[in-house]
Amino acid sequence: MKNGHIWKDTDGNAIQAHGGCIIEHNGKYYWYGENKGADNCPGTSRVDVIGVSCYSSDDLVNWKYEGLALKADKDDPKSPIHPSKVAERPKVIYNEKNNNFVMWLHLDDASYTFGGVGTAVSESPAGPFRLIAARQPNRQDSRDMTIFKDTDGTAYLLHSKDWNKTMNIARLNEDYTDVDGMYVSVMQDQEREAPAVCMHDGMYYMVTSGCTGWSPNSALYAESKYIMGKWKLIDNPCEGKNSRRTFNGQSTYIFEVNGKKYLMLDHWVREDLKTSGYSILPIEFRDGIMTIPWQDEWNGAK
């Protein structure tokens, strides 16, 4: 699977799982993401909402299409997941307490003025998920976002707010279906988006993108001793060709396999979003310094 390019599923079709995440459950991997398998709306850099795709794999290389885990609501123009709206960056988390799966995603109108999140639940990792809420978390706008589960099982929503000027870290309730009112604002006025988070040797790390629309820019990572503590921007973790442009991609999600962490990237093609490619790259830590070296191909976790 050549990094930076569109990938194919086991049926030979282009994988449509943009802005998503990969999780493991009962020995199988599930990849969720935006299905952009249609032409751009005329004169725009958006595709009508189709839904959230789900793919499954035993080896992180061969991906079987499981269908739409969350489908657009075509019948209700007022629905937050109507095709005319925006549904982006889906992240799925497993809740051990309720033995179910919870999806969070950025929901918006076509003009990106609402700035909210949606939550959906399912008893099966492949869905179907049912949307249970669409709101602004803690009554604040939310745009690019991700979900992070800590080692104690507490989960957090990390989202850009104030039109991407600041990053919020909001604690979720025990069901992972809503924020619980506890949050902090970090990296204020730094204009960061596309957060991807992990923990290593007791330190939290967050990779983010600058706000340059669909155009790639230099990634930065931040670190903190506490998930809701003070975050310090450190440096660009990327190494290799086009490292100053995040390898012509944008951070999506960090997942872990056998103690090794990997960063997912989207390579957006704004004129034809359905052809946007992917990369998965290993994350290395050298004396506490995060580095992400470029690799031409993804051949699974080593």
Side-chain angles (χ1 to χ4, degrees), residues 155-167:
Y156 301 85
L157 166 70
L158 294 94
H159 66 95
S160 55
K161 69 159 193 168
D162 297 338
W163 292 92
N164 293 331
K165 283 184 169 44
T166 299
M167 191 69 61

Side-chain angles (χ1 to χ4, degrees), residues 198-205 222-226 231 285 288:
C198 68
M199 182 185 188
H200 178 77
D201 283 352
M203 185 73 74
Y204 297 90
Y205 295 84
E223 64 180 27
S224 176
K225 291 183 179 180
Y226 307 98
W231 286 79
F285 294 91

